[in-house]
Amino acid sequence: AIKQNAKQRTQRSSHERKSRTMFSRKRNVVDILESMGPNTSGTDAKNILVRVDFNVPMNDDLEITDDSRIRGALPTLQAILESSHNAVVMSHMGRPKLVQKGEDEGGKQRAKLTLSNVVDRLQTLAKAPVAFVNECQGDKVTSAVAGLDKKGGQILLLENLRFTKQEEKNDPDFAKGLAGLADAYINDAFGTCHRAHASVSGVPSFMDAKLCGVGKLVQSELNYLDFTQLGEKDVVAAIIGGSKVSTKLPVIKGLLNSVDTLVLGGGLAFTFIKAMGVNVGSSLLEESMIDTARELIEEAKKNGKKLVVPVDAVCSASFPSGPMDIKDTKTFDIAPGCDGIQDGWMGLDAGPKTVKVF
């Protein structure tokens, strides 16, 4: 069957192959720096607003356990600093709902999710001075930006954008305020590019399009997702996870047009499994997206694409608050035709059969 499928794929018309994802070239940080010109006088450094993703994992002692997201932003930041300009860096961290609601008793959540926790690591990795301001807008921020050295080479890190509700609401006044802090804008937060938040989609609308672009990390990801240069016999598979179908829908549709095999895991898979007529118990489920999932399944079949979902799941009677003992779990078969997950149980991980399938 595998050989037959491979043969069928190689027999696709060139028209079908050309339908694979191709991205038009985006303006990037190099283009922006060229547009502004070098700071040859050493007295005319520009301030470039850079949206990054510093949502790094930390332990209970607030020590960073994985700094790969910080490292991912370094090429863009270094390009700015080497051009003798300054980087005004902004990011989110976690979901500070208590801070947003004013219900953060004792400031515990703020202390855990403040971006001041990444300053030392960023300074070490960037090998450049990093200033921090514990706000993301207002007089204190304006003053900090105005105080950046006109010789360039400095980084100013703003406080967690999500400490204010306006960020996720894409509030135009909030976006305009951020845009007013700098001369240009770079988005290098690949993990949040799909979100209609103020720092992602709002800010560029208030700035000159010629001075807005993507960073080196985003550019590298876009290059990686350009499948048009693949050969006739090349087969592309993609794996996507996450909790909700609704937030990943454009990505799922795009990938189905571009890849040969799409593997769906994580919580969103249960919506597809439910659409196949299999019981998912109390697993994470988007009832409103079941019909959409069913349509995507049919679309994949129609276009000869292979859509792979879990065939069994490790389940628990409740969502665990910490590590679980394996004896407190059950594994249910969830392939089409099976009874699925018993009521009162929720799928929390891929089962052994799914691991083999994937």
Side-chain angles (χ1 to χ4, degrees):
I2 293 173
K3 289 181 180 179
Q4 185 177 5
N5 288 338
K7 185 178 180 180
Q8 290 173 347
R9 282 192 291 266
T10 59
Q11 291 175 340
R12 285 180 185 164
S13 68
S14 59
H15 174 74
E16 288 176 309
R17 278 293 171 182
K18 288 177 181 177
S19 70
R20 276 184 161 166
T21 303
M22 179 173 65
F23 298 99
S24 59
R25 186 184 181 282
K26 309 295 183 185
R27 287 184 62 79
N28 58 46
V29 62
V30 175
D31 299 317
I32 305 305
L33 291 172
E34 288 180 351
S35 296
M36 294 192 302
N39 178 20
T40 52
S41 66
T43 60
D44 190 31
K46 304 298 183 184
N47 298 323
I48 302 177
L49 192 63
V50 187
R51 176 54 159 106
V52 298
D53 183 1
F54 284 173
N55 187 25
V56 293
M58 293 186 292
N59 59 25
D60 292 339
D61 295 322
L62 302 181
E63 297 170 333
I64 297 171
T65 56
D66 182 352
D67 60 12
S68 57
R69 289 183 175 178
I70 300 175
R71 292 178 182 273
L74 291 180
T76 292
L77 297 179
Q78 288 168 343
I80 294 171
L81 301 184
E82 288 170 4
S83 296
S84 298
H85 295 299
N86 298 313
V88 179
V89 180
M90 55 181 180
S91 176
H92 73 284
M93 181 178 281
R95 296 183 173 90
K97 297 300 182 184
L98 295 178
V99 176
Q100 290 180 2
K101 295 177 182 178
E103 299 174 359
D104 183 24
E105 295 184 10
K108 292 181 179 180
Q109 188 174 72
R110 178 177 285 272
K112 182 178 180 181
L113 299 179
T114 174
L115 283 172
S116 64
N117 295 323
V118 309
V119 170
D120 288 345
R121 185 68 60 89
L122 174 59
Q123 189 159 266
T124 298
L125 294 174
K127 298 178 181 178
V130 177
F132 175 74
V133 57
N134 62 354
E135 300 286 347
C136 51
Q137 203 165 94
D139 293 341
K140 189 181 292 187
V141 176
T142 303
S143 177
V145 171
L148 290 173
D149 198 329
K150 285 299 181 180
K151 293 180 181 179
Q154 287 189 313
I155 298 173
L156 174 65
L157 178 62
L158 307 185
E159 183 57 284
N160 188 343
L161 291 164
R162 291 186 185 173
F163 277 175
T164 174
K165 295 179 182 179
Q166 289 96 319
E167 161 66 0
E168 292 174 278
K169 290 183 177 181
N170 197 9
D171 181 83
D173 290 333
F174 183 69
K176 187 176 183 179
L178 290 172
L181 296 175
D183 303 290
Y185 169 80
I186 299 295
N187 184 350
D188 209 23
F190 183 74
T192 60
C193 282
H194 64 296
R195 299 195 181 279
H197 291 174
S199 64
V200 178
S201 64
V203 169
S205 67
F206 291 102
M207 301 187 77
D208 185 344
K210 293 180 181 179
L211 295 176
C212 294
V214 298
K216 294 193 173 186
L217 174 62
V218 172
Q219 186 64 60
S220 68
E221 295 285 0
L222 291 176
N223 293 342
Y224 190 82
L225 290 171
D226 184 353
F227 305 136
T228 57
Q229 303 305 313
L230 296 177
E232 288 290 321
K233 296 183 179 181
D234 288 325
V235 178
V236 181
I239 304 171
I240 187 169
S243 59
K244 295 181 178 181
V245 177
S246 54
T247 58
K248 305 294 190 298
L249 186 58
V251 180
I252 294 173
K253 285 184 175 180
L255 286 173
L256 274 177
N257 288 330
S258 306
V259 304
D260 302 287
T261 300
L262 180 59
V263 178
L264 300 176
L268 63 83
F270 291 111
T271 300
F272 284 84
I273 293 164
K274 182 71 173 180
M276 295 175 178
V278 180
N279 185 39
V280 297
S282 55
S283 304
L284 186 64
L285 177 68
E286 282 188 285
E287 294 277 1
S288 63
M289 298 301 294
I290 292 176
D291 288 341
T292 300
R294 193 174 291 118
E295 292 170 2
L296 289 170
I297 293 170
E298 291 303 316
E299 182 182 333
K301 289 180 180 178
K302 179 181 177 182
N303 295 323
K305 304 301 178 74
K306 188 175 183 181
L307 192 64
V308 183
V309 297
V311 294
D312 63 344
V314 180
C315 304
S316 169
S318 60
F319 196 88
S321 58
M324 291 187 66
D325 193 308
I326 193 66
K327 71 177 185 295
D328 295 324
T329 70
K330 283 186 180 181
T331 299
F332 295 95
D333 288 332
I334 53 176
C338 296
D339 293 333
I341 300 172
Q342 291 180 5
D343 291 342
W345 290 80
M346 64 175 67
L348 295 177
D349 204 353
K353 295 178 182 178
T354 298
V355 171
K356 291 182 179 179
V357 170
F358 282 7

PDB file of all heavy atoms in Angstrom, residues 142-165:
ATOM      1  N   THR A 142       8.245  55.923  27.647  1.00  0.00           N
ATOM      2  CA  THR A 142       8.675  56.996  26.741  1.00  0.00           C
ATOM      3  C   THR A 142      10.013  57.567  27.167  1.00  0.00           C
ATOM      4  O   THR A 142      10.901  57.823  26.344  1.00  0.00           O
ATOM      5  CB  THR A 142       7.619  58.113  26.704  1.00  0.00           C
ATOM      6  OG1 THR A 142       6.360  57.569  26.303  1.00  0.00           O
ATOM      7  CG2 THR A 142       8.023  59.202  25.723  1.00  0.00           C
ATOM      8  N   SER A 143      10.161  57.757  28.468  1.00  0.00           N
ATOM      9  CA  SER A 143      11.414  58.296  29.005  1.00  0.00           C
ATOM     10  C   SER A 143      12.569  57.324  28.799  1.00  0.00           C
ATOM     11  O   SER A 143      13.687  57.727  28.448  1.00  0.00           O
ATOM     12  CB  SER A 143      11.243  58.595  30.499  1.00  0.00           C
ATOM     13  OG  SER A 143      12.442  59.057  31.064  1.00  0.00           O
ATOM     14  N   ALA A 144      12.291  56.020  28.983  1.00  0.00           N
ATOM     15  CA  ALA A 144      13.335  55.005  28.816  1.00  0.00           C
ATOM     16  C   ALA A 144      13.803  54.944  27.364  1.00  0.00           C
ATOM     17  O   ALA A 144      15.000  54.817  27.082  1.00  0.00           O
ATOM     18  CB  ALA A 144      12.816  53.648  29.269  1.00  0.00           C
ATOM     19  N   VAL A 145      12.865  55.048  26.436  1.00  0.00           N
ATOM     20  CA  VAL A 145      13.210  55.023  25.014  1.00  0.00           C
ATOM     21  C   VAL A 145      14.021  56.262  24.646  1.00  0.00           C
ATOM     22  O   VAL A 145      15.029  56.187  23.928  1.00  0.00           O
ATOM     23  CB  VAL A 145      11.934  54.940  24.141  1.00  0.00           C
ATOM     24  CG1 VAL A 145      12.288  55.127  22.665  1.00  0.00           C
ATOM     25  CG2 VAL A 145      11.229  53.612  24.352  1.00  0.00           C
ATOM     26  N   ALA A 146      13.593  57.413  25.158  1.00  0.00           N
ATOM     27  CA  ALA A 146      14.300  58.666  24.866  1.00  0.00           C
ATOM     28  C   ALA A 146      15.724  58.639  25.420  1.00  0.00           C
ATOM     29  O   ALA A 146      16.616  59.318  24.896  1.00  0.00           O
ATOM     30  CB  ALA A 146      13.535  59.841  25.457  1.00  0.00           C
ATOM     31  N   GLY A 147      15.939  57.843  26.458  1.00  0.00           N
ATOM     32  CA  GLY A 147      17.248  57.772  27.088  1.00  0.00           C
ATOM     33  C   GLY A 147      18.219  56.819  26.427  1.00  0.00           C
ATOM     34  O   GLY A 147      19.377  56.705  26.858  1.00  0.00           O
ATOM     35  N   LEU A 148      17.775  56.106  25.383  1.00  0.00           N
ATOM     36  CA  LEU A 148      18.674  55.178  24.699  1.00  0.00           C
ATOM     37  C   LEU A 148      19.800  55.946  24.001  1.00  0.00           C
ATOM     38  O   LEU A 148      19.585  57.032  23.467  1.00  0.00           O
ATOM     39  CB  LEU A 148      17.890  54.344  23.676  1.00  0.00           C
ATOM     40  CG  LEU A 148      16.926  53.306  24.271  1.00  0.00           C
ATOM     41  CD1 LEU A 148      16.081  52.674  23.177  1.00  0.00           C
ATOM     42  CD2 LEU A 148      17.699  52.225  25.034  1.00  0.00           C
ATOM     43  N   ASP A 149      20.969  55.355  24.020  1.00  0.00           N
ATOM     44  CA  ASP A 149      22.172  56.001  23.487  1.00  0.00           C
ATOM     45  C   ASP A 149      22.056  56.234  21.976  1.00  0.00           C
ATOM     46  O   ASP A 149      21.699  55.331  21.222  1.00  0.00           O
ATOM     47  CB  ASP A 149      23.384  55.104  23.763  1.00  0.00           C
ATOM     48  CG  ASP A 149      24.695  55.860  23.646  1.00  0.00           C
ATOM     49  OD1 ASP A 149      24.759  56.802  22.843  1.00  0.00           O
ATOM     50  OD2 ASP A 149      25.647  55.498  24.361  1.00  0.00           O
ATOM     51  N   LYS A 150      22.346  57.440  21.541  1.00  0.00           N
ATOM     52  CA  LYS A 150      22.297  57.773  20.123  1.00  0.00           C
ATOM     53  C   LYS A 150      23.438  57.111  19.339  1.00  0.00           C
ATOM     54  O   LYS A 150      23.455  57.132  18.114  1.00  0.00           O
ATOM     55  CB  LYS A 150      22.351  59.292  19.930  1.00  0.00           C
ATOM     56  CG  LYS A 150      21.042  59.995  20.281  1.00  0.00           C
ATOM     57  CD  LYS A 150      19.909  59.490  19.399  1.00  0.00           C
ATOM     58  CE  LYS A 150      18.601  60.195  19.713  1.00  0.00           C
ATOM     59  NZ  LYS A 150      17.496  59.682  18.846  1.00  0.00           N
ATOM     60  N   LYS A 151      24.366  56.504  20.074  1.00  0.00           N
ATOM     61  CA  LYS A 151      25.408  55.731  19.406  1.00  0.00           C
ATOM     62  C   LYS A 151      24.871  54.364  18.983  1.00  0.00           C
ATOM     63  O   LYS A 151      25.475  53.677  18.156  1.00  0.00           O
ATOM     64  CB  LYS A 151      26.610  55.535  20.344  1.00  0.00           C
ATOM     65  CG  LYS A 151      27.358  56.811  20.685  1.00  0.00           C
ATOM     66  CD  LYS A 151      28.522  56.506  21.627  1.00  0.00           C
ATOM     67  CE  LYS A 151      29.274  57.785  21.997  1.00  0.00           C
ATOM     68  NZ  LYS A 151      30.394  57.487  22.949  1.00  0.00           N
ATOM     69  N   GLY A 152      23.745  53.972  19.577  1.00  0.00           N
ATOM     70  CA  GLY A 152      23.144  52.682  19.261  1.00  0.00           C
ATOM     71  C   GLY A 152      23.758  51.545  20.062  1.00  0.00           C
ATOM     72  O   GLY A 152      24.566  51.758  20.968  1.00  0.00           O
ATOM     73  N   GLY A 153      23.356  50.317  19.723  1.00  0.00           N
ATOM     74  CA  GLY A 153      23.931  49.137  20.379  1.00  0.00           C
ATOM     75  C   GLY A 153      23.277  48.767  21.687  1.00  0.00           C
ATOM     76  O   GLY A 153      23.826  47.951  22.439  1.00  0.00           O
ATOM     77  N   GLN A 154      22.114  49.337  21.990  1.00  0.00           N
ATOM     78  CA  GLN A 154      21.445  49.038  23.256  1.00  0.00           C
ATOM     79  C   GLN A 154      20.132  48.291  23.033  1.00  0.00           C
ATOM     80  O   GLN A 154      19.487  48.404  21.988  1.00  0.00           O
ATOM     81  CB  GLN A 154      21.163  50.325  24.028  1.00  0.00           C
ATOM     82  CG  GLN A 154      22.400  50.971  24.638  1.00  0.00           C
ATOM     83  CD  GLN A 154      22.019  52.110  25.573  1.00  0.00           C
ATOM     84  OE1 GLN A 154      21.199  52.949  25.231  1.00  0.00           O
ATOM     85  NE2 GLN A 154      22.627  52.130  26.751  1.00  0.00           N
ATOM     86  N   ILE A 155      19.735  47.531  24.062  1.00  0.00           N
ATOM     87  CA  ILE A 155      18.460  46.820  24.059  1.00  0.00           C
ATOM     88  C   ILE A 155      17.632  47.317  25.225  1.00  0.00           C
ATOM     89  O   ILE A 155      18.122  47.376  26.366  1.00  0.00           O
ATOM     90  CB  ILE A 155      18.654  45.290  24.183  1.00  0.00           C
ATOM     91  CG1 ILE A 155      19.440  44.735  22.994  1.00  0.00           C
ATOM     92  CG2 ILE A 155      17.306  44.582  24.300  1.00  0.00           C
ATOM     93  CD1 ILE A 155      19.803  43.260  23.136  1.00  0.00           C
ATOM     94  N   LEU A 156      16.398  47.668  24.960  1.00  0.00           N
ATOM     95  CA  LEU A 156      15.448  48.028  26.010  1.00  0.00           C
ATOM     96  C   LEU A 156      14.314  47.003  25.974  1.00  0.00           C
ATOM     97  O   LEU A 156      13.647  46.853  24.960  1.00  0.00           O
ATOM     98  CB  LEU A 156      14.880  49.434  25.792  1.00  0.00           C
ATOM     99  CG  LEU A 156      13.753  49.856  26.753  1.00  0.00           C
ATOM    100  CD1 LEU A 156      14.268  49.952  28.186  1.00  0.00           C
ATOM    101  CD2 LEU A 156      13.133  51.185  26.317  1.00  0.00           C
ATOM    102  N   LEU A 157      14.124  46.306  27.071  1.00  0.00           N
ATOM    103  CA  LEU A 157      13.073  45.289  27.160  1.00  0.00           C
ATOM    104  C   LEU A 157      11.883  45.844  27.926  1.00  0.00           C
ATOM    105  O   LEU A 157      12.017  46.314  29.060  1.00  0.00           O
ATOM    106  CB  LEU A 157      13.613  44.042  27.865  1.00  0.00           C
ATOM    107  CG  LEU A 157      12.629  42.886  28.077  1.00  0.00           C
ATOM    108  CD1 LEU A 157      12.135  42.339  26.738  1.00  0.00           C
ATOM    109  CD2 LEU A 157      13.286  41.777  28.898  1.00  0.00           C
ATOM    110  N   LEU A 158      10.712  45.799  27.291  1.00  0.00           N
ATOM    111  CA  LEU A 158       9.487  46.273  27.933  1.00  0.00           C
ATOM    112  C   LEU A 158       8.866  45.163  28.777  1.00  0.00           C
ATOM    113  O   LEU A 158       9.159  43.980  28.601  1.00  0.00           O
ATOM    114  CB  LEU A 158       8.480  46.735  26.871  1.00  0.00           C
ATOM    115  CG  LEU A 158       8.952  47.751  25.828  1.00  0.00           C
ATOM    116  CD1 LEU A 158       7.778  48.163  24.947  1.00  0.00           C
ATOM    117  CD2 LEU A 158       9.580  48.972  26.489  1.00  0.00           C
ATOM    118  N   GLU A 159       7.976  45.553  29.662  1.00  0.00           N
ATOM    119  CA  GLU A 159       7.291  44.589  30.524  1.00  0.00           C
ATOM    120  C   GLU A 159       6.321  43.734  29.715  1.00  0.00           C
ATOM    121  O   GLU A 159       5.947  44.059  28.580  1.00  0.00           O
ATOM    122  CB  GLU A 159       6.561  45.337  31.651  1.00  0.00           C
ATOM    123  CG  GLU A 159       5.863  44.455  32.681  1.00  0.00           C
ATOM    124  CD  GLU A 159       6.773  43.447  33.371  1.00  0.00           C
ATOM    125  OE1 GLU A 159       7.098  42.426  32.719  1.00  0.00           O
ATOM    126  OE2 GLU A 159       7.138  43.653  34.544  1.00  0.00           O
ATOM    127  N   ASN A 160       5.924  42.627  30.295  1.00  0.00           N
ATOM    128  CA  ASN A 160       4.987  41.670  29.707  1.00  0.00           C
ATOM    129  C   ASN A 160       3.772  42.385  29.104  1.00  0.00           C
ATOM    130  O   ASN A 160       2.989  43.022  29.804  1.00  0.00           O
ATOM    131  CB  ASN A 160       4.532  40.691  30.795  1.00  0.00           C
ATOM    132  CG  ASN A 160       3.711  39.538  30.252  1.00  0.00           C
ATOM    133  OD1 ASN A 160       3.191  39.582  29.143  1.00  0.00           O
ATOM    134  ND2 ASN A 160       3.589  38.500  31.050  1.00  0.00           N
ATOM    135  N   LEU A 161       3.614  42.260  27.794  1.00  0.00           N
ATOM    136  CA  LEU A 161       2.523  42.939  27.098  1.00  0.00           C
ATOM    137  C   LEU A 161       1.142  42.523  27.606  1.00  0.00           C
ATOM    138  O   LEU A 161       0.198  43.311  27.584  1.00  0.00           O
ATOM    139  CB  LEU A 161       2.611  42.647  25.591  1.00  0.00           C
ATOM    140  CG  LEU A 161       3.790  43.275  24.845  1.00  0.00           C
ATOM    141  CD1 LEU A 161       3.975  42.594  23.488  1.00  0.00           C
ATOM    142  CD2 LEU A 161       3.587  44.774  24.672  1.00  0.00           C
ATOM    143  N   ARG A 162       1.037  41.277  28.046  1.00  0.00           N
ATOM    144  CA  ARG A 162      -0.272  40.769  28.456  1.00  0.00           C
ATOM    145  C   ARG A 162      -0.650  41.140  29.890  1.00  0.00           C
ATOM    146  O   ARG A 162      -1.688  40.695  30.384  1.00  0.00           O
ATOM    147  CB  ARG A 162      -0.323  39.257  28.268  1.00  0.00           C
ATOM    148  CG  ARG A 162      -0.307  38.854  26.807  1.00  0.00           C
ATOM    149  CD  ARG A 162      -0.513  37.370  26.619  1.00  0.00           C
ATOM    150  NE  ARG A 162      -0.371  37.005  25.212  1.00  0.00           N
ATOM    151  CZ  ARG A 162      -0.360  35.745  24.767  1.00  0.00           C
ATOM    152  NH1 ARG A 162      -0.493  34.747  25.634  1.00  0.00           N
ATOM    153  NH2 ARG A 162      -0.228  35.491  23.481  1.00  0.00           N
ATOM    154  N   PHE A 163       0.168  41.953  30.538  1.00  0.00           N
ATOM    155  CA  PHE A 163      -0.239  42.486  31.837  1.00  0.00           C
ATOM    156  C   PHE A 163      -1.401  43.458  31.661  1.00  0.00           C
ATOM    157  O   PHE A 163      -2.055  43.836  32.616  1.00  0.00           O
ATOM    158  CB  PHE A 163       0.936  43.179  32.525  1.00  0.00           C
ATOM    159  CG  PHE A 163       1.858  42.220  33.259  1.00  0.00           C
ATOM    160  CD1 PHE A 163       3.023  42.689  33.855  1.00  0.00           C
ATOM    161  CD2 PHE A 163       1.565  40.874  33.365  1.00  0.00           C
ATOM    162  CE1 PHE A 163       3.872  41.827  34.541  1.00  0.00           C
ATOM    163  CE2 PHE A 163       2.411  40.007  34.044  1.00  0.00           C
ATOM    164  CZ  PHE A 163       3.568  40.479  34.627  1.00  0.00           C
ATOM    165  N   THR A 164      -1.610  43.884  30.426  1.00  0.00           N
ATOM    166  CA  THR A 164      -2.752  44.752  30.127  1.00  0.00           C
ATOM    167  C   THR A 164      -3.685  44.039  29.158  1.00  0.00           C
ATOM    168  O   THR A 164      -3.235  43.326  28.248  1.00  0.00           O
ATOM    169  CB  THR A 164      -2.293  46.096  29.518  1.00  0.00           C
ATOM    170  OG1 THR A 164      -3.429  46.840  29.111  1.00  0.00           O
ATOM    171  CG2 THR A 164      -1.382  45.873  28.322  1.00  0.00           C
ATOM    172  N   LYS A 165      -4.978  44.215  29.324  1.00  0.00           N
ATOM    173  CA  LYS A 165      -5.971  43.558  28.473  1.00  0.00           C
ATOM    174  C   LYS A 165      -5.909  44.057  27.035  1.00  0.00           C
ATOM    175  O   LYS A 165      -6.303  43.356  26.101  1.00  0.00           O
ATOM    176  CB  LYS A 165      -7.384  43.808  29.020  1.00  0.00           C
ATOM    177  CG  LYS A 165      -7.664  43.184  30.375  1.00  0.00           C
ATOM    178  CD  LYS A 165      -9.074  43.531  30.822  1.00  0.00           C
ATOM    179  CE  LYS A 165      -9.371  42.948  32.206  1.00  0.00           C
ATOM    180  NZ  LYS A 165     -10.744  43.304  32.653  1.00  0.00           N
TER     181      LYS A 165
END
